[in-house]
Amino acid sequence: MTWLRAAALAALSVLAPATGAHAQDITLSSRDGKVEISGTLLGFDGEFYRVDTKFGELTVDGSGVTCDGPACPSLTDFVAEITLSGSSTMAEVLLPALVEGFALRNGLQTHRETLDQAHFVYSLHQTRRDAPMARFTFHVTNTDEGFADLLANEADIVMALREIRPGERERAQEVGMGDLTEANRARVLALDAMVPVVAPDNPVQRISTADLARVFAGEITNWSDLGGPDAPIALHLPTAGSGLAQGVEDRLLGPARVPLAEAISRHTRSSQLARAVAADPFAIGIASFAETGTARALTLTGPCGFSLAATRWTIKTEDYPLTSPMFLYLPARRLPKIAREFLAYTNSSAAQIVIRRAGFVDQSAELIRMGAQGDRLANAITTAGEETPVEELQRMIATLSPMARLTTSFRFETGSSRPDAQSRSNILSLAHALETGAYDARKLVFVGFSDGEGPAQGNTRIARKRAEAVRDAVLNAVETAHPKSVEIGIEAFGEALPMACDDSDWGRKVNRRVEVWMP
């Protein structure tokens, strides 16, 4: 039977977990009654059954069978159930805005119901009088709890403010959820950043990343050491299991090789942290860029004199060193059709507008003219010397001045040639733009830059190889034929245009990049 062959071939795949009543025994019979499969219903997505049988776990097309048993779902009144768990920053504003945007685009009505402090539900209806066709249930916790819920089969989608950790990835593979680092399992939904914030009347305006790490390690305890008043520093961070707090440990304290201080006030919501810091003139916290509230963000500096503030452009380009992509993680199981449509919508241009209006940084490409990049050029002039002569700077300016830089940039994991998470997302986004003709009759120039470690000529060669590798990755990701109407170029200027000081791992990472420029 065709449906049975399909079931056997699909035995390695999985569907969304069963919801409502506890999973129970069912019997699936072919239309002619000659073949039956009995087992425990594990899930139904409106199209396919997932059943645990004596043959193992099988996935069966519902159109080819009849179902008998108390757990059999209704094929006509099916309600898609999607559960999201994780980051409160994403659950409180971003995802609800996207659910409402998705419903509006598809002519659906939404109804929100608060279950308790940590749970709420969005139901989608054809009209207000109709029964729901889908329910999006949100568990407002943190990134740690989101992954725990996924591994326990209590969530379909994780909302995360950090990348999945090796232990979580291994456990997901062990329980049959596939590799959550694959492109179709991990996606960047929007962009954020970890921003040091103080009260508006705090006189300190800037702080180096090294000093920021020492502050949160408890090594700097008085504002006078940072050019402020003679007063003790009060530390604030999100709750320990949140992706933002873990990002502080992994990306700020880890490279500095210092432990986190013990005397820290913790907050379950980034918005609560910002309010607490804004009310205390001697407090400092690290908050989400989207939720700084009335607190004031400090500009990050380096010992070589460079400075970088968190803005929409510097976050999009990853020029700001503490960027924090916002992830959705999906297991290797089939989600209901409306969930798949919603996930496709989150990549659309309409969704990028919703993301921006919700206060987060979207991923739509923008052009930055040379005239708006004064700080970058000042940095280049400041660091020019024997390794980067004036002639090389003049060549760079002559090449790039007639063009504008796309915010779509590419950086690499520390100590690796592998693009980092945001850059892997950018590869897919740029490939999609090429497929849809967004750059037809235009020229894209992939421009490589390096850090200042080693000889300048060697760095320029490495930068060119990185530019070529990113170009190849983008073109390989194009699913249709190679776009003949787009001219592709390669350039490299090595260490001629640094973004940060080279005296730290994060500074060198910021400087090792591939940019995209357009005439």
Side-chain angles (χ1 to χ4, degrees), residues 406 408 410 426-434 439 444 446 474 516:
L406 273 182
T408 305
F410 307 90
N426 287 345
I427 286 171
L428 298 178
S429 296
L430 186 53
H432 178 70
L434 291 175
Y439 299 115
L444 297 180
F446 290 80
V474 170
V516 181

Side-chain angles (χ1 to χ4, degrees), residues 207-515:
I207 188 170
S208 72
T209 52
D211 282 347
L212 185 63
R214 293 178 63 202
V215 164
F216 279 91
E219 295 180 1
I220 296 178
T221 59
N222 195 291
W223 281 107
S224 60
D225 295 327
L226 301 172
D230 182 9
I233 300 174
L235 303 178
H236 294 258
L237 280 178
T239 187
S242 72
L244 189 64
Q246 292 171 336
V248 170
E249 295 185 51
D250 294 345
R251 300 183 55 195
L252 180 65
L253 299 178
R257 297 178 177 84
V258 292
L260 189 65
E262 294 183 2
I264 295 179
S265 297
R266 296 282 189 170
H267 304 268
T268 56
R269 304 285 189 271
S270 188
S271 55
Q272 294 172 351
L273 182 153
R275 286 193 296 270
V277 170
D280 183 353
F282 305 127
I284 185 171
I286 296 184
S288 159
F289 171 76
E291 295 184 304
T292 55
T294 57
R296 176 170 53 80
L298 297 179
T299 298
L300 292 181
T301 66
C304 61
F306 292 2
S307 62
L308 285 169
T311 67
R312 191 178 80 253
W313 279 354
T314 60
I315 293 172
K316 274 192 179 186
T317 58
E318 280 192 282
D319 291 349
Y320 183 75
L322 297 179
T323 55
S324 179
M326 311 179 87
F327 295 93
L328 293 182
Y329 280 94
L330 316 171
R333 61 176 177 238
R334 184 185 178 91
L335 295 177
K337 182 180 179 182
I338 197 167
R340 301 195 301 271
E341 292 173 347
F342 170 72
L343 292 171
Y345 163 78
T346 62
N347 290 328
S348 69
S349 57
Q352 301 311 304
I353 296 173
V354 172
I355 290 168
R356 189 161 58 247
R357 288 177 177 172
F360 298 88
V361 179
D362 60 281
Q363 298 183 82
S364 57
E366 298 180 54
L367 285 171
I368 309 175
R369 294 291 171 184
M370 179 65 81
Q373 303 182 53
D375 288 344
R376 282 158 49 94
L377 298 178
N379 291 345
I381 295 170
T382 300
T383 58
E386 290 185 10
E387 290 289 298
T388 308
V390 173
E391 292 76 16
E392 180 66 1
L393 295 182
Q394 291 174 335
R395 182 178 79 87
M396 180 180 69
I397 297 301
T399 302
L400 301 181
S401 287
M403 299 190 284
R405 179 192 178 190
L406 273 182
T407 51
T408 305
S409 302
F410 307 90
R411 284 183 168 81
F412 308 89
E413 295 178 346
T414 302
S416 170
S417 59
R418 183 179 187 238
D420 63 18
Q422 185 170 328
S423 298
R424 295 195 296 273
S425 177
N426 287 345
I427 286 171
L428 298 178
S429 296
L430 186 53
H432 178 70
L434 291 175
E435 287 177 334
T436 58
Y439 299 115
D440 281 357
R442 303 291 298 272
K443 181 178 181 179
L444 297 180
V445 182
F446 290 80
V447 184
F449 296 94
S450 72
D451 58 35
E453 295 285 297
Q457 288 186 343
N459 285 337
T460 301
R461 286 194 296 271
I462 293 171
R464 177 175 288 275
K465 288 182 179 178
R466 287 199 184 105
E468 292 170 346
V470 170
R471 173 203 60 191
D472 293 345
V474 170
L475 295 179
N476 288 337
V478 175
E479 295 182 357
T480 56
H482 185 286
K484 303 295 184 183
S485 59
V486 181
E487 184 180 353
I488 304 291
I490 294 289
E491 256 300 353
F493 297 104
E495 58 195 68
L497 192 59
M499 297 300 306
C501 305
D502 270 328
D503 60 348
S504 65
D505 288 340
W506 71 263
R508 289 186 289 273
K509 180 180 185 296
V510 169
N511 288 334
R512 293 190 297 266
R513 67 196 185 277
V514 174
E515 300 176 356

Side-chain angles (χ1 to χ4, degrees), residues 182-229:
E182 291 181 352
N184 58 341
R185 302 295 171 214
R187 60 179 65 192
V188 176
L189 181 65
L191 306 174
D192 201 0
M194 297 178 286
V195 183
V197 292
V198 296
D201 55 351
N202 189 310
V204 175
Q205 302 290 323
R206 299 165 179 265
I207 188 170
S208 72
T209 52
D211 282 347
L212 185 63
R214 293 178 63 202
V215 164
F216 279 91
E219 295 180 1
I220 296 178
T221 59
N222 195 291
W223 281 107
S224 60
D225 295 327
L226 301 172

Side-chain angles (χ1 to χ4, degrees), residues 49-324:
Y49 296 93
R50 179 163 63 96
V51 186
D52 186 14
T53 75
K54 63 181 180 180
F55 306 110
E57 194 173 289
L58 300 180
T59 298
V60 182
D61 186 347
S63 64
V65 298
T66 58
C67 182
D68 182 46
C72 288
S74 169
L75 298 179
T76 56
D77 299 324
F78 172 74
V79 179
E81 300 280 358
I82 305 100
T83 302
L84 302 93
S85 179
S87 162
S88 62
T89 299
M90 298 173 69
E92 288 182 322
V93 178
L94 180 55
L95 266 302
L98 287 169
V99 170
E100 291 181 358
F102 170 73
L104 182 64
R105 187 181 187 187
N106 289 278
L108 302 175
Q109 303 289 324
T110 61
H111 174 71
R112 176 169 174 157
E113 178 184 3
T114 300
L115 304 180
D116 55 45
Q117 284 189 329
H119 296 84
F120 64 90
V121 177
Y122 265 95
S123 55
L124 274 56
H125 310 252
Q126 289 288 357
T127 70
R128 293 191 182 277
R129 296 179 179 178
D130 292 336
M133 57 188 299
R135 278 191 289 261
F136 288 80
T137 300
F138 287 86
H139 187 193
V140 186
T141 55
N142 55 54
T143 299
D144 266 4
E145 289 297 321
F147 280 115
D149 283 348
L150 182 72
L151 294 174
N153 231 10
E154 295 175 357
D156 303 303
I157 300 173
V158 179
M159 302 172 289
L161 285 185
R162 61 165 172 80
E163 286 192 76
I164 189 171
R165 288 178 163 176
E168 294 163 335
R169 178 185 178 186
E170 291 172 6
R171 287 193 293 275
Q173 289 176 311
E174 288 172 358
V175 298
M177 291 186 175
D179 185 354
L180 295 187
T181 65
E182 291 181 352
N184 58 341
R185 302 295 171 214
R187 60 179 65 192
V188 176
L189 181 65
L191 306 174
D192 201 0
M194 297 178 286
V195 183
V197 292
V198 296
D201 55 351
N202 189 310
V204 175
Q205 302 290 323
R206 299 165 179 265
I207 188 170
S208 72
T209 52
D211 282 347
L212 185 63
R214 293 178 63 202
V215 164
F216 279 91
E219 295 180 1
I220 296 178
T221 59
N222 195 291
W223 281 107
S224 60
D225 295 327
L226 301 172
D230 182 9
I233 300 174
L235 303 178
H236 294 258
L237 280 178
T239 187
S242 72
L244 189 64
Q246 292 171 336
V248 170
E249 295 185 51
D250 294 345
R251 300 183 55 195
L252 180 65
L253 299 178
R257 297 178 177 84
V258 292
L260 189 65
E262 294 183 2
I264 295 179
S265 297
R266 296 282 189 170
H267 304 268
T268 56
R269 304 285 189 271
S270 188
S271 55
Q272 294 172 351
L273 182 153
R275 286 193 296 270
V277 170
D280 183 353
F282 305 127
I284 185 171
I286 296 184
S288 159
F289 171 76
E291 295 184 304
T292 55
T294 57
R296 176 170 53 80
L298 297 179
T299 298
L300 292 181
T301 66
C304 61
F306 292 2
S307 62
L308 285 169
T311 67
R312 191 178 80 253
W313 279 354
T314 60
I315 293 172
K316 274 192 179 186
T317 58
E318 280 192 282
D319 291 349
Y320 183 75
L322 297 179
T323 55
S324 179

